[in-house]
Amino acid sequence: MRRDDDLQETRSGFQAAWQPQQNIQGGLSARCVRTLRSFLTENFSRKLSVAEMAAVCGLSTSHFARAFSRTFGKSPHQYVLDLRLDHAEKLLSDGRLSIADVAHQCGFASQSHLTTMMKKHREITPMQAQAAAFTFRSRA
């Protein structure tokens, strides 16, 4: 059983999503984590179901969802959303694509959906992220 301070460490940043907690009883096996990590890296931009992710590990949907949350400290949906938002921020900072194109490439339904999710989970809009990257590049 995890203590509350362990949970805070896991949720402190996205980097923790790629670093599963070790030796958690009821969590995903190391093999499953490797396979799933590879699968999600290749497929995060398309519509994914928990059932499809569970099938990658050979687990039932309900068991997978519990084990995933124990391993990564967040739900599969939140994990995929974090992957999408990280990729969107990377593309936005590059500045070559429009916000609508970034939204499409990252698996969001629309530019509005990307904006809503970034504002809610990152407290910044795509336009603000682009502007910040432009300002940083122009100062360098």
Side-chain angles (χ1 to χ4, degrees):
M1 189 133 210
R2 290 190 299 186
R3 297 185 334 241
D4 286 340
D5 54 328
D6 293 334
L7 191 59
Q8 291 301 321
E9 281 182 54
T10 304
R11 293 184 181 170
S12 64
F14 180 68
Q15 194 62 274
W18 288 105
Q19 303 299 325
Q21 294 186 7
Q22 300 297 321
N23 302 322
I24 294 177
Q25 190 163 352
L28 297 173
S29 69
R31 181 191 62 78
C32 181
V33 168
R34 282 190 307 274
T35 304
L36 189 61
R37 190 180 286 164
S38 175
F39 174 78
L40 292 176
T41 299
E42 294 173 14
N43 296 289
F44 71 88
S45 64
R46 68 177 182 83
K47 189 172 186 172
L48 293 170
S49 68
V50 175
E52 187 177 4
M53 289 184 255
V56 169
C57 292
L59 300 171
S60 72
T61 303
S62 59
H63 179 73
F64 172 80
R66 281 190 307 274
F68 189 99
S69 293
R70 285 185 179 141
T71 303
F72 292 102
K74 58 180 74 176
S75 71
H77 172 77
Q78 185 62 49
Y79 187 89
V80 171
L81 178 62
D82 283 342
L83 287 175
R84 289 177 178 171
L85 290 172
D86 279 350
H87 191 62
E89 287 179 356
K90 180 181 173 188
L91 293 176
L92 288 166
S93 69
D94 186 29
R96 289 188 257 170
L97 297 174
S98 69
I99 296 171
D101 290 337
V102 169
H104 177 72
Q105 283 192 17
C106 294
F108 291 97
S110 64
Q111 177 178 336
S112 176
H113 185 218
L114 169 61
T115 301
T116 301
M117 292 296 105
M118 279 191 77
K119 186 70 174 168
K120 181 178 180 181
H121 295 282
R122 302 291 168 93
E123 299 177 353
I124 189 170
T125 66
M127 188 172 278
Q128 289 169 332
Q130 274 185 331
F134 179 75
T135 301
F136 180 75
R137 281 195 309 268
S138 64
R139 289 183 183 175

